[in-house]
Amino acid sequence: MPVLQPTHHPADEHLLDYAAGAASEGLALLLATHLTLCPECRRKAAAMEQLGGTLIEELPPAAIAADARERCLALLDAPEPAAESRSAVTAVTNPVSAAPLLPRALRDRVGGDIDTLRWSPVLRGVDQALLVEGPGGARTRLMRIRAGHAVPQHTHRGTEFVCVLAGGFSDLSGHFGRGDVAVSDESVDHQPTADADGDCICLAVTEAPVRLTGRFWRLLNPFVRF
Amino acid sequence: MLVRKVASDRDRAAFARLFDALMPRVKAYVLRLGADDASAEEVAQEVMLLMWRKADSFDPARAAVTTWIFTIARNKRIDLLRRERRPAVDPDDPALLPDAPPAADQLVEQANSEERLRTAMRGLPPEQARLIAMAFFEDRSHSAIAAATNLPLGTVKSRIRLAIERLRRSIPD
Ligand SMILES: [Zn+2]
């Protein structure tokens, strides 16, 4: 079976945020995930990085310390620091199969592929694994929606980004499968429903906690940090 | 090809020439992002050392030297100044959905695209060029740009899309 390319993509402004290095950590994680699965957006992002190269070239050069070059040359033979940087990868504890479900950026974050995750139940048929918590209630997490289950109807206080990793879901705006990105803002009130033939696993980045809007769920709002 | 010499021959003279050309630019980039002089010098030096260590990962068919250095500098300043991890795409990831290989003529075009991109950049309307510069040099996402400029979010989005579309038309896919 041929691997299908995604049909729902992030917008240019999101790719620019990522290429320029201005995206939040959670959004960058989601975009790196989509880019791993989307050759078309990879080409776009590469063009934006080329733009970054051009902009650096056009900057007036800054004055550097007189001995900067000497000091740098002297450091060339120094042993490489053990951890190359704070972005050094987390040790991958579980062996990764030849066709991992999670792209590298996510595997580095969770320490292995999807079977490494510890899910915690949120609601019936919906589990989550929290990855990053940011300021103002921003959260990045993996969600698992059991086959045929729906996420409670909700709107959004900030923008919500979802990238599908396995299975698929549908809402008013269409069907989303592996690699597809759904972006919802305040104006979107939706109830994503997982495909009937398998669990849907996706990466979700929310800028602020979502607000439940269904009649019943609205009562739960103060209690459920969904 | 200087980076090649650095990668295969560990050529220090070639490295010194790259250092002279790139260090002042990389430092200027980090200064523009709001770092003080000492931090900017430190980040830029780290970038130069990474250039030495990672020279063999540079693929001239994929990107120009300045593009490669930009991505190293961008990741390094997120790492050192924002103290965050930069999630990246690993081109050797078994999960990667591969692209169709570019045709030979496309590669040639890619190599010549730098100058066309520069020209297209200069031709952008100032209000579009300003937003692009804010994204790259002020560490502001498009929504943060909207907040900082008091422009409606929709205006920022459409200006960015227009600018990107215009720039993309100047370089081959
Ligand atoms: Zn895409």
Side-chain angles (χ1 to χ4, degrees):
Chain A
M1 206 178 85
V3 187
L4 294 177
Q5 297 200 7
T7 52
H8 297 274
H9 305 274
D12 282 353
E13 61 271 20
H14 304 128
L15 291 175
L16 183 72
D17 288 350
Y18 177 80
S24 69
E25 195 176 6
L27 182 56
L29 193 58
L30 183 132
L31 292 169
T33 297
H34 176 74
L35 289 169
T36 303
L37 304 174
C38 183
E40 186 186 325
C41 286
R42 272 209 303 281
R43 284 198 297 267
K44 274 193 174 185
M48 292 174 186
E49 287 177 341
Q50 198 177 354
L51 182 58
T54 314
L55 287 169
I56 277 197
E57 246 178 312
E58 306 241 308
L59 281 179
I64 59 171
D67 61 343
R69 194 219 279 181
E70 259 45 64
R71 274 190 294 136
C72 198
L73 284 166
L75 285 170
L76 294 186
D77 295 325
E80 225 169 294
E84 180 58 71
S85 66
R86 264 171 233 73
S87 48
V89 298
T90 316
V92 172
T93 46
N94 284 2
V96 166
S97 73
L101 188 83
L102 303 181
R104 171 78 189 273
L106 277 172
R107 295 202 306 277
D108 287 351
R109 185 67 59 139
V110 303
D113 203 10
I114 196 79
D115 48 352
T116 319
L117 287 169
R118 281 239 171 103
W119 295 102
S120 30
V122 189
L123 295 161
R124 216 171 98 80
V126 183
D127 304 294
Q128 70 170 16
L130 189 62
L131 300 183
V132 188
E133 273 192 283
R139 279 182 300 167
T140 302
R141 60 215 159 132
L142 285 154
M143 310 281 307
R144 180 175 63 189
I145 312 162
R146 293 297 192 180
H149 278 78
V151 169
Q153 184 145 9
H154 60 277
T155 56
H156 312 85
R157 267 171 226 159
T159 308
E160 175 194 79
F161 300 82
V162 173
C163 182
V164 178
L165 292 157
F169 72 81
S170 300
D171 69 7
L172 285 175
S173 53
H175 181 263
F176 297 79
R178 180 163 166 87
D180 281 332
V181 170
V183 184
S184 319
D185 62 15
E186 287 88 345
S187 65
V188 178
D189 187 332
H190 68 166
Q191 184 171 31
T193 305
D195 293 356
D197 60 356
D199 295 348
C200 175
I201 294 172
C202 46
L203 177 65
V205 178
T206 32
E207 284 183 338
V210 294
R211 200 155 43 95
L212 306 179
T213 51
R215 246 178 313 157
F216 171 68
W217 295 109
R218 194 152 44 209
L219 297 173
L220 282 180
N221 227 355
F223 310 110
V224 184
R225 270 196 83 215
F226 178 70
Chain B
M1 234 338 260
L2 291 171
V3 183
R4 277 273 172 72
K5 283 186 178 161
V6 170
S8 54
D9 312 335
R10 307 268 78 190
D11 185 330
R12 284 161 176 271
F15 175 81
R17 283 178 59 196
L18 283 169
F19 181 96
D20 291 344
L22 296 168
M23 174 77 181
R25 251 95 197 184
V26 172
K27 185 176 172 184
Y29 165 68
V30 186
L31 282 171
R32 273 292 294 268
L33 281 151
D36 59 61
D37 194 82
S39 310
E41 184 105 8
E42 187 199 326
V43 173
Q45 176 169 295
E46 289 276 321
V47 172
M48 294 298 109
L49 289 172
L50 281 173
M51 175 172 80
W52 172 257
R53 293 193 199 116
K54 291 184 166 183
D56 58 352
S57 74
F58 172 66
D59 178 2
R62 204 175 296 191
V65 179
T66 44
T67 303
W68 179 61
I69 287 297
F70 161 71
T71 60
I72 295 178
R74 173 199 63 196
N75 298 354
K76 201 71 210 171
R77 66 102 182 151
I78 290 174
D79 183 24
L80 289 177
L81 303 180
R82 235 207 259 165
R83 303 200 171 270
E84 272 182 9
R85 300 200 271 187
R86 163 74 186 181
V89 177
D90 174 3
D92 300 318
D93 188 349
L96 188 98
L97 190 68
D99 200 356
D105 58 330
Q106 271 179 315
L107 280 179
V108 174
E109 273 202 84
Q110 189 72 39
N112 297 327
S113 61
E114 301 292 309
E115 193 48 50
R116 279 155 55 186
L117 183 60
R118 255 194 298 276
T119 311
M121 193 60 205
R122 285 197 203 99
L124 283 184
E127 73 276 9
Q128 289 175 21
R130 178 165 168 244
L131 298 190
I132 299 284
M134 285 180 87
F136 279 94
F137 294 134
E138 294 183 22
D139 198 20
R140 288 185 209 269
S141 65
H142 71 278
S143 44
I145 291 174
T149 53
N150 286 320
L151 288 169
L153 189 57
T155 307
V156 171
K157 287 182 186 196
S158 61
R159 281 185 191 169
I160 288 175
R161 288 176 197 179
L162 284 170
I164 296 299
E165 189 44 45
R166 212 164 151 150
L167 296 170
R168 262 170 65 72
R169 263 186 275 126
S170 75
I171 53 175
D173 267 338

